[in-house]
Amino acid sequence: MPIDSRRSFLKRAALLPLAAAAAPLPCAGAAEVKAGAGRGAPFFTPALNAYSFLELLNENMADATRGIDLFGVVDFCERLRIPAVDLTGYFYPGYPQAPADSYVNRMKRYVHERGIVISGTGVKNDFATADKAVRAAGVALTKVWIEVAARLGAPVVRVFAGPQQKNAKDWQAAAGGATREEVEKWMAEALNECAEHGAKYGVLVAVQNHGDFLSTGEQHASLLKRVGHEWCGALVDTGKYFTEDPYADIALMVPHAVNWQIKETLGSSVKTPVTDFKKLVGIIHAGGYRGFVPIETLSMGRKNYDPFAEVEKVLTAMREGIAALG
């Protein structure tokens, strides 16, 4: 093999673990891309989103002798042979500021020694607000955490569309009366700026449907098309498409997915239908997705919620669904 070709091959090989978790289909509007095109045969693996341990992580942040920290979440992954974990930014020391290099380095070594990779992280931002300063702060925050993700070796940073204010329960209130098209435009501008920064650091920006501005697959796809950047894709939250048939929305978004949150129910509520994991796995497979599919369980108001047991239950169901594909 010629030296240049060998170098090119080795470079591609070194990037494979990240590419498997995050290889995106273009979300730009130039041309439609068929599901799975350019990705080869579907191949995906259940992983974990640390947010499943929200209550215990918050407890630990208030009192280090209680709850669980991110290292404990990694230990849990090791016990259940979960190969990847999405370590949400909120639970790092000092968030929203970037964690110290010493912490990042410790975490990188910790996951490596346990045979686990960090598949992503995420921030709290609001691109739905009419307040330009808040949107700009969200862009700045995302850029900081893109750089943190690069230091961690994580290929994806999850962002919200919005809103995130405690007193604004819907995007219309946050947007101050602006039309949906106006809001989508300013969201796209913010996301495009984030994606440009992500391209510099090799980190994808994944926009999550969160049941607010993005509550259908069509809305999700429309925003990504307006962004029109190859470093911006979808984080598909299977419990946050509020339509008559969420499976159809999920199927629509598989070609755009660069990360996931697999929920126990279709509406992130105990009052909504339980997810049919075999059906969900079939949809993801049919769409040609390759990479990790992190599980994110929620307390959903359950006083007896046990994240250790709940994650294991969903993990088993996902693994059984994948095994049934043959």
Side-chain angles (χ1 to χ4, degrees):
M1 182 182 291
I3 292 177
D4 287 345
S5 297
R6 184 173 181 274
R7 287 175 177 168
S8 178
F9 170 78
L10 291 174
K11 184 177 180 181
R12 292 197 304 272
L15 292 173
L16 280 177
L18 299 184
L25 289 177
C27 54
E32 291 297 322
V33 180
K34 293 182 179 180
R39 282 181 169 173
F43 179 82
F44 51 95
T45 306
L48 174 68
N49 191 303
Y51 195 86
S52 301
F53 291 85
L54 169 65
E55 290 78 13
L56 292 176
L57 285 163
N58 282 338
E59 188 177 350
N60 180 264
M61 292 176 73
D63 180 350
T65 66
R66 303 180 63 183
I68 192 173
D69 63 8
L70 291 178
F71 294 95
V73 173
V74 173
D75 290 339
F76 174 74
C77 290
E78 182 185 17
R79 290 197 298 274
L80 268 65
R81 300 181 68 84
I82 299 173
V85 61
D86 189 308
L87 297 176
T88 317
Y90 329 150
F91 308 117
Y92 285 82
Y95 178 88
Q97 283 75 36
D101 286 344
S102 58
Y103 186 93
V104 170
N105 294 342
R106 179 186 169 205
M107 179 61 74
K108 287 174 70 175
R109 179 167 183 171
Y110 201 83
V111 296
H112 175 72
E113 290 176 345
R114 285 151 183 79
I116 297 166
V117 299
I118 301 173
S119 61
T121 188
V123 298
K124 291 180 180 178
N125 66 288
D126 184 0
F127 294 152
T129 178
D131 189 332
K132 292 182 179 180
V134 172
R135 299 203 303 269
V139 170
L141 175 67
T142 304
K143 288 181 177 180
V144 166
W145 280 84
I146 283 171
E147 295 178 26
V148 172
R151 287 159 55 202
L152 287 165
V156 180
V157 168
R158 187 267 304 130
V159 298
F160 293 116
Q164 293 302 307
Q165 302 107 308
K166 293 181 180 179
N167 296 324
K169 295 183 178 180
D170 55 62
W171 68 266
Q172 290 95 337
T179 66
R180 182 174 189 89
E181 184 174 6
E182 289 172 326
V183 176
E184 188 178 82
K185 284 181 179 179
W186 71 48
M187 279 185 182
E189 290 174 0
L191 289 165
N192 196 284
E193 186 175 347
C194 293
E196 276 293 298
H197 199 68
K200 294 178 183 178
Y201 286 87
V203 175
L204 289 151
V205 175
V207 189
Q208 180 181 353
N209 57 301
H210 207 243
D212 38 58
F213 188 80
L214 303 180
S215 59
T216 74
E218 289 185 355
Q219 293 169 351
H220 209 168
S222 176
L223 176 58
L224 291 177
K225 184 176 181 180
R226 192 181 291 274
V227 176
H229 201 294
E230 64 180 352
W231 284 86
C232 181
L235 184 144
V236 179
D237 184 334
T238 64
K240 290 290 187 177
Y241 288 124
F242 298 149
T243 63
E244 293 184 1
D245 182 10
Y247 293 110
D249 298 88
I250 294 166
L252 176 66
M253 294 308 298
V254 174
H256 303 285
V258 297
N259 206 350
W260 294 74
Q261 287 178 10
I262 304 296
K263 298 290 177 57
E264 313 103 298
T265 69
L266 292 178
S268 297
S269 164
V270 293
K271 296 180 181 180
T272 56
V274 174
T275 301
D276 182 335
F277 292 103
K278 287 187 177 179
K279 183 173 183 177
L280 176 62
V281 163
I283 290 169
I284 297 171
H285 180 269
Y289 180 76
R290 296 174 63 84
F292 294 115
V293 283
I295 292 162
E296 184 184 274
T297 63
L298 303 172
S299 64
M300 298 187 291
R302 295 173 289 183
K303 293 182 179 180
N304 62 344
Y305 171 67
D306 178 356
F308 298 95
E310 198 66 24
V311 168
E312 187 168 6
K313 182 174 72 174
V314 177
L315 176 67
T316 299
M318 287 291 290
R319 285 174 172 171
E320 289 175 349
I322 292 171
L325 292 172

